Amino acid sequence: MILTRPAGVVSASPVPDVELRPLSADDAASLGRLYFEAYDPGVASATEAEALEDIHRTFDGEYGVLDTTLSRLAWMRDELVGALLVVERAPWPDTPDCRFVIELFTARSQRRSGIAKLLLAECSAVEVALRVQETNTPALALYRSVGFQPGLTAG
């Protein structure tokens, strides 16, 4: 299911000890590790090496041109605990013509702490869309709480 959110200020409460930073290719190893650990095996990738390869494909533009002004990493001290990866436009034909969240994930130990909302607030100034499984009730609740709705057309 595709959800979209129009541009508009979305605020999020600060999360203690969490700092948002821009991402760079130097973060690929940490990002790949977190990407693998954030999902059940086989959901996003079967192995950590496969997850890292997927992150490299993201930086190479396979899923669209990475928007480094909106994509952010959440760090708690020196530990990566969350990531928001946004592309200028997704390459799939069923996606709207706007910024697109290709990945949003947090460390399992940090779920429901406000990190995902904090990351999503980083792209509140622009129209943005994302894809979510209709059966993913926690994700749907999160996205709806920050203004995402089904059935909107972007562009």
Side-chain angles (χ1 to χ4, degrees), residues 3-150:
L3 302 178
T4 59
R5 185 187 67 199
V9 177
V10 175
S11 61
S13 299
V15 179
D17 299 321
V18 171
E19 177 187 355
L20 299 186
R21 301 179 196 158
L23 76 157
S24 78
D26 293 339
D27 298 310
S30 297
L31 199 50
R33 240 184 333 276
L34 179 61
Y35 183 50
F36 176 68
E37 293 168 1
Y39 293 100
D40 290 335
V43 172
S45 55
T47 66
E48 189 174 318
E50 189 179 292
L52 181 57
E53 180 56 35
D54 201 35
I55 294 300
H56 285 298
R57 285 195 297 271
T58 299
F59 279 106
D60 291 342
E62 189 167 319
Y63 308 114
V65 175
L66 198 57
D67 186 331
T68 57
T69 64
L70 298 178
S71 297
R72 290 285 181 270
L73 300 180
W75 293 87
M76 184 176 281
R77 296 170 208 77
D78 292 328
E79 179 185 358
L80 182 61
V81 294
L84 172 71
L85 304 177
V86 180
V87 294
E88 293 176 5
R89 190 197 184 301
W92 308 288
D94 65 336
T95 57
D97 185 17
C98 66
R99 299 295 194 261
F100 197 89
V101 174
I102 58 168
E103 286 295 343
L104 171 66
F105 50 92
T106 58
R108 290 175 187 264
S109 63
Q110 297 301 319
R111 291 199 179 143
R112 300 192 186 283
S113 68
I115 292 171
K117 279 186 181 182
L118 190 63
L119 286 163
L120 285 168
E122 289 294 298
C123 59
S124 68
V126 299
E127 184 174 30
V128 66
L130 52 78
R131 185 184 314 271
V132 62
Q133 294 289 327
E134 292 179 38
T135 57
N136 191 340
T137 306
L140 284 169
L142 165 68
Y143 298 140
R144 288 186 174 129
S145 77
V146 293
F148 283 89
Q149 296 180 15

